[in-house]
Amino acid sequence: MAVRHDFDDAADQLAVLENIKNVLRADDAGKAPPIAKVKPNPVPTTDVNQWTIDGIAGQTRVSTSFGDVPSELLRKNDMVRSISGDFKRIVWIDRIRLDEGFMSRHPEAYPIHIRANAFGKGIPARDIEVSPCHRLRVDRFTNGSVVAESLLHRPGVTRAPHPHVTYTQFHCDGDTMVKVENLWAESRKR
């Protein structure tokens, strides 16, 4: 199977699961998957294969109460640094693993790679990878966030064509931004 989930609370994940089922059904039938309805993607596109599942990839580190931790090691109840400066408890977490067969048929799922210092000294502190539709706040002086894929025109931002990828999704008790290598990444309640 192309996708594997580690569920903590299946009821919160119905939209994500429905999207994955649609992609897999279309993939098995040899057709382009329908545009998913997990959340609206504000980036204009003509690509019918627009990737709509957010997440932080692999070794990208998230600031927690016990230091910076690779996203793949985060667990439910870990405390992560929020944009307000306090720590928020992770109440839901999921990992979506996409294998080589799936990735070869769905390059739109390739993560966005952002090199260290791409947006200024220490921003981000290290190279990071996120889902193309993950929302980031790259400028600490504004309130807005942008979809990672919309940053592809910037120096130091590229697609990372990995043969497989694991996206970690999590949310705290409510929507917030969490610290990821000196950037702020969205953590939305599903």
Side-chain angles (χ1 to χ4, degrees):
M1 179 163 198
V3 180
R4 183 175 159 244
H5 293 275
D6 297 329
F7 292 113
D8 279 333
D9 184 354
D12 286 342
Q13 300 177 45
L14 291 176
V16 171
L17 289 174
E18 189 60 34
N19 182 48
I20 293 291
K21 284 192 255 178
N22 288 339
V23 169
L24 292 175
R25 269 190 229 115
D27 188 50
D28 289 342
K31 299 187 249 175
I35 294 175
K37 296 185 179 169
V38 173
K39 67 178 183 179
N41 188 337
V43 178
T45 182
T46 57
D47 183 2
V48 295
N49 292 328
Q50 182 71 31
W51 187 250
T52 59
I53 298 173
D54 62 354
I56 300 170
Q59 292 291 312
T60 298
R61 298 181 319 163
V62 177
S63 292
T64 71
S65 60
F66 42 90
D68 292 344
V69 174
S71 64
E72 62 192 8
L73 298 179
L74 291 173
R75 299 288 178 254
K76 187 175 179 181
N77 295 320
D78 285 350
M79 302 292 283
V80 293
R81 167 92 47 204
S82 75
I83 199 163
S84 63
D86 58 348
F87 289 96
K88 303 279 187 184
R89 184 173 312 280
I90 294 175
V91 296
W92 174 88
I93 194 161
D94 189 22
R95 291 194 172 74
I96 300 172
R97 293 177 176 91
L98 305 173
D99 68 14
E100 188 171 357
F102 184 88
M103 294 301 285
S104 68
R105 292 184 305 275
H106 297 282
E108 68 276 8
Y110 287 154
I112 303 299
H113 180 92
I114 303 173
R115 280 197 336 247
N117 305 311
F119 306 122
K121 186 172 174 75
I123 304 172
R126 292 184 178 195
D127 289 9
I128 70 167
E129 290 187 349
V130 295
S131 166
C133 70
H134 203 97
R135 296 191 69 80
L136 302 170
R137 184 173 163 189
V138 297
D139 180 349
R140 67 177 179 247
F141 303 109
T142 62
N143 289 326
S145 61
V146 296
V147 176
E149 188 172 43
S150 72
L151 300 169
L152 284 171
H153 68 284
R154 307 244 338 228
V157 181
T158 59
R159 275 209 193 264
H162 297 307
H164 50 82
V165 67
T166 298
Y167 288 122
T168 298
Q169 299 177 317
F170 63 90
H171 75 77
C172 304
D173 194 22
D175 294 350
T176 191
M177 301 290 276
V178 296
K179 192 172 184 181
V180 176
E181 299 292 357
N182 288 339
L183 286 176
W184 297 99
E186 189 173 80
S187 170
R188 290 179 41 140
K189 189 169 183 176
R190 307 245 180 268

